[in-house]
Amino acid sequence: MDFIGKLSFSLLLLITFAAHVSFSMHQPAPRRKPVFTTDPQDSYGLLKGSLSLQCHVDGEPPPHIIWFKDGQQVKSMREMPGTSSKIITSGKLVFMSFMQEDEGSYYCNASNSEGWTKSKDANVQLAYLDP
């Protein structure tokens, strides 16, 4: 093989390799239904104190998480300005000022285009301190 032939063959191999690498790097992640990796835990909150609940979920595409209390969707400060003291961000529910009416059974619901799942329940209660 002459120099031009070797150069053409080398360029062909290089282009083929680059195309293969580019294709394998840009393949979409496999789609998976949501699976909880961390469930919310039973918790006790002090009256008018802050309290956080967390849940973590894995899935593709990334799942959307909704918090529920006693079977009803939890409304945050965003949905109920001035009437709610709860903040919801990425699987985290924060009570800015925990009150007796916040006691209950909480869980997360995670969903994406591949399906949905419910976390375990977390019992959340008001803590009473002995004087």
Side-chain angles (χ1 to χ4, degrees), residues 12-29:
L12 179 61
L13 284 176
L14 182 62
I15 291 170
T16 303
F17 176 73
H20 175 72
V21 168
S22 176
F23 175 75
S24 62
M25 287 176 42
H26 296 294
Q27 288 182 343

Side-chain angles (χ1 to χ4, degrees), residues 15-93:
I15 291 170
T16 303
F17 176 73
H20 175 72
V21 168
S22 176
F23 175 75
S24 62
M25 287 176 42
H26 296 294
Q27 288 182 343
R31 300 173 76 82
R32 300 179 319 279
K33 73 178 248 177
V35 175
F36 280 97
T37 56
T38 305
D39 290 296
Q41 301 295 307
D42 293 346
S43 300
Y44 292 91
L46 294 174
L47 186 63
K48 297 184 181 178
S50 64
L51 176 72
S52 296
L53 297 176
Q54 287 195 141
C55 65
H56 296 281
V57 65
D58 187 31
E60 189 60 43
H64 176 69
I65 297 172
I66 299 175
W67 281 92
F68 288 85
K69 174 195 172 216
D70 300 328
Q72 301 294 314
Q73 184 174 346
V74 174
K75 301 294 183 187
S76 71
M77 292 172 84
R78 184 182 312 187
E79 290 92 18
M80 298 178 60
T83 61
S84 176
S85 65
K86 298 169 199 73
I87 299 172
I88 300 173
T89 58
S90 306
K92 190 172 190 177
L93 172 60

Side-chain angles (χ1 to χ4, degrees), residues 1-15:
M1 211 185 261
D2 65 351
F3 175 75
I4 299 295
K6 287 180 182 179
L7 183 61
S8 297
F9 182 72
S10 296
L11 283 173
L12 179 61
L13 284 176
L14 182 62
I15 291 170

